[in-house]
Amino acid sequence: FPKAKLFGNTAMHVKAKGKIGDMHNAANTLTADATAHIPHITLKGYSLKNVYAKGTYRGKKLKAEATIRDKNCDLAVSGDVNFAHKRKEYNLEASINHIYANRIFAHLAPIDSNTKDGMEKFIRYVQLHPEIFLAFESAGCSLSGSNLRDLAGNIYIDNIEYQQDNKTFQTDRLRVALLPQEDYQTIRFTSDILNATLTTNHKLKEI
């Protein structure tokens, strides 16, 4: 089995234009537009095909959208980010027609250690659970924060289907509310099958 880097050979066609209105205030006066067609991008040795993206930047506000139309990964995502304030604002929407994680990473050597982290930890999980499939009709978030610790807002996912180990999980809706306090974070989950509240003083990235 080959040992693959995270990213490999990529074919890309990009069109971009932009200007800065005031060199002494570049961040606030920069305007830019870009579109990209990526026939293939190599991810851990897998050639992900048919990626399209476009975006605009106007005075610390970024708006972008992207699609992937690959036989094992078909999705669309769009959103905007406002960097103009200390508490950045994030608004995203997405849909997934299908992701077959096992097929994407089938060519990789088995990862035999639970001490791996990052992408390799995810790949190990995929290797241990055959034919993982994920799809959802729509998802999105409206969040704000200066860092992960004080991130606040709402996340939603509708019509989820997840398959693993010949079992299928389906739910009509899932809602997540992030409610940060001074010394702790409250995360509230609501759905058609489960409601729960988690309160922790750990950072979100540690949970």
Side-chain angles (χ1 to χ4, degrees), residues 91-129:
N91 295 286
L92 302 173
E93 294 182 349
S95 63
I96 294 178
N97 290 327
H98 62 256
I99 294 178
Y100 294 98
N102 300 81
R103 300 178 190 180
I104 293 173
F105 300 120
H107 61 284
L108 294 177
I111 297 174
D112 58 4
S113 174
N114 283 315
T115 62
K116 299 292 184 180
D117 56 11
M119 177 66 80
E120 289 194 342
K121 187 173 184 179
F122 170 72
I123 293 172
R124 174 172 168 77
Y125 181 86
V126 169
Q127 291 175 338
L128 293 174
H129 300 280

Side-chain angles (χ1 to χ4, degrees), residues 42-144:
T42 304
L43 175 67
K44 278 291 186 179
Y46 177 80
S47 183
L48 192 68
K49 293 180 173 60
N50 302 319
V51 181
Y52 300 86
K54 66 178 181 178
T56 61
Y57 184 90
R58 300 285 187 276
K60 290 190 174 182
K61 295 181 180 179
L62 173 66
K63 185 174 183 179
E65 61 183 68
T67 59
I68 301 174
R69 302 306 182 200
D70 183 84
K71 64 180 181 179
N72 291 319
C73 179
D74 190 315
L75 59 84
V77 61
S78 63
D80 58 82
V81 182
N82 187 345
F83 301 99
H85 309 291
K86 181 179 179 181
R87 290 187 62 82
K88 301 173 181 64
E89 299 172 356
Y90 308 88
N91 295 286
L92 302 173
E93 294 182 349
S95 63
I96 294 178
N97 290 327
H98 62 256
I99 294 178
Y100 294 98
N102 300 81
R103 300 178 190 180
I104 293 173
F105 300 120
H107 61 284
L108 294 177
I111 297 174
D112 58 4
S113 174
N114 283 315
T115 62
K116 299 292 184 180
D117 56 11
M119 177 66 80
E120 289 194 342
K121 187 173 184 179
F122 170 72
I123 293 172
R124 174 172 168 77
Y125 181 86
V126 169
Q127 291 175 338
L128 293 174
H129 300 280
E131 276 307 295
I132 291 177
F133 167 85
L134 173 66
F136 56 73
E137 181 178 311
S138 61
C141 71
S142 179
L143 303 169
S144 65

Side-chain angles (χ1 to χ4, degrees), residues 145-195:
S146 57
N147 53 57
L148 277 175
R149 191 172 185 85
D150 70 353
L151 200 62
N154 298 284
I155 302 168
Y156 75 88
I157 310 177
D158 290 330
N159 295 326
I160 309 165
E161 181 178 352
Y162 178 78
Q163 296 177 8
Q164 175 182 305
D165 302 331
N166 297 317
K167 297 179 181 178
T168 300
F169 167 83
Q170 292 178 306
T171 182
D172 291 336
R173 66 186 184 279
L174 173 65
R175 302 290 184 268
V176 181
L178 304 180
L179 308 168
Q181 306 298 321
E182 185 174 353
D183 298 320
Y184 61 90
Q185 171 78 264
T186 296
I187 305 173
R188 184 173 298 153
F189 302 88
T190 58
S191 72
D192 52 327
I193 59 173
L194 173 68
N195 297 320

